[in-house]
Amino acid sequence: MSINTGVENKFFLNAAKIGMISKFFRKEKSSVSVTINGKEFFTDSYRIDAHFSMLRIGPAQIVTVPGELFPNIWSKVKPRMDVSPKFIFCLTNGELGYILSREDFESGHHDYHAGMSIGRNF
């Protein structure tokens, strides 16, 4: 499964702009425009395709995630897995930093983790 999401983190954006990690990001014209002195300018936005997988090996079910899930997200994924044992493999199919819920991202209690995340909408 893949999802396409925007990137908010300025460090990820700057790394993409200088070509360090640009192969992972897709630059798009934003639908948001700014008019200055009668001229319309569109802002650049960067998006990334994040890939998740689910597989079974014998009785085990494994979910792969391209970052590190916060516990409250894992607790929402685990009940949806229908067999046991259940495993989650993080940092597979890419490194998107920490994956936080919007509540954790905006709480002010996880500034480091939010700073090492692509953004609040992942």
Side-chain angles (χ1 to χ4, degrees):
M1 175 179 94
S2 294
I3 63 168
N4 181 274
T5 186
V7 180
E8 296 176 43
N9 187 308
K10 66 182 176 182
F11 299 113
F12 280 88
L13 292 173
N14 288 335
K17 286 178 184 177
I18 65 171
M20 272 179 70
I21 57 175
S22 59
K23 70 178 186 174
F24 302 109
F25 294 87
R26 186 172 57 252
K27 184 176 172 182
E28 296 179 348
K29 259 191 181 173
S30 173
S31 59
V32 177
S33 65
V34 177
T35 303
I36 302 173
N37 295 330
K39 293 184 180 180
E40 186 176 38
F41 296 91
F42 287 89
T43 60
D44 289 333
S45 68
Y46 284 82
R47 300 197 62 82
I48 189 165
D49 292 317
H51 303 283
F52 299 81
S53 300
M54 192 279 296
L55 62 133
R56 290 186 184 189
I57 300 176
Q61 190 171 26
I62 302 165
V63 174
T64 67
V65 180
E68 295 185 48
L69 289 182
F70 252 44
N72 64 349
I73 296 176
W74 171 231
S75 67
K76 292 176 184 174
V77 172
K78 189 176 178 181
R80 295 179 179 196
M81 299 171 76
D82 58 358
V83 297
S84 191
K86 302 172 185 187
F87 296 96
I88 186 161
F89 293 170
C90 296
L91 303 172
T92 58
N93 298 330
E95 166 50 91
L96 300 182
Y98 292 101
I99 301 173
L100 293 77
S101 67
R102 180 180 284 274
E103 296 81 30
D104 284 332
F105 192 94
E106 295 174 349
S107 72
H109 298 294
H110 307 287
D111 291 337
Y112 171 78
H113 299 96
M116 298 304 290
S117 164
I118 63 169
R120 76 188 80 235
N121 293 318
F122 185 62

